[in-house]
Every structure is written in C-alpha cells, then in structure tokens.
Amino acid sequence: MNCALLTLWDLRPCIDVAALVLTELVTNAFQHGGGEDVTVTWCADRTHLIIQVEDSSPVRPVLRTVDEASEGGRGLSIVEALADKWGVSEDGHTVHCALALPERAA
C-alpha cells in the first residue's frame, strides 16, 4: 500500500484501516480471482476514501458466514465491518468500498 500517497492526501488517520481493507481485498483477488491481472485503484473525495480491486474472475464474491473454527472466509466480513459501504460490480470483476474520512478542521 502506498502510505506516502495517503500521507500526501492528508489521510494519515486512515492508513491502518485502509491497509487492512486493501490487504483483504487483494488477498481475495489472488486466492479466488485467479491471481492474474489484479488492479487496485483508489481515490478520495471530501468524505470517503474509495478503494477498488479488480481481478479477472467473473465469479461474484460473496459474504460468507463463518464460525470461530473456520480457517478463512472472513475477508469480506472485515471489509463490511470497516467500510461505510461496499459492493461488487455487475460483472463480478471489481469489489469496491468506501471508508469514511475523519472530519477535518476547517
């Protein structure tokens, strides 16, 4: 993750959460999306940091129900817990999420 970019954008308070969400999304793209042609894009507006991860798999990611004995399957649950909103593109190639930005002093 490019912490320098988030620092430049004055989003230092978001680095830890953004790193965790990005790690989960990229891990899913490599594990379930074939691991080829993974593209990460992000942008920020006044209220949110938007992260998108695209892979080449047409299989739509789904939120799983897991128990404490499960060894995996928590990635999208983590994204759901930390993001203001998240979703999957119609073609199933891109997962996107929006992280709320902290209020800034005027």
Side-chain angles (χ1 to χ4, degrees):
M1 186 172 115
N2 194 336
C3 296
L5 180 60
L6 294 182
T7 300
L8 179 68
W9 287 353
D10 196 26
L11 300 178
R12 194 173 294 116
C14 299
I15 289 175
D16 291 340
V17 171
L20 179 55
V21 168
L22 182 61
T23 298
E24 294 299 334
L25 293 178
V26 170
T27 298
N28 284 351
F30 276 97
Q31 286 183 341
H32 306 290
E36 296 180 19
D37 298 324
V38 174
T39 303
V40 174
T41 56
W42 47 9
C43 63
D45 61 21
R46 295 178 59 92
T47 60
H48 290 88
L49 173 65
I50 294 91
I51 300 172
Q52 297 182 109
V53 176
E54 180 180 0
D55 63 38
S56 57
S57 174
V59 178
R60 291 179 58 83
V62 293
L63 186 63
R64 295 188 203 174
T65 302
V66 296
D67 60 29
E68 62 241 12
S70 299
E71 290 186 23
R74 291 177 179 80
L76 287 179
S77 294
I78 292 169
V79 172
E80 182 175 63
L82 296 174
D84 248 14
K85 54 187 171 184
W86 73 279
V88 180
S89 64
E90 296 257 343
D91 63 6
H93 290 290
T94 305
V95 178
H96 53 88
C97 68
L99 305 176
L101 299 178
E103 300 248 348
R104 298 184 196 193

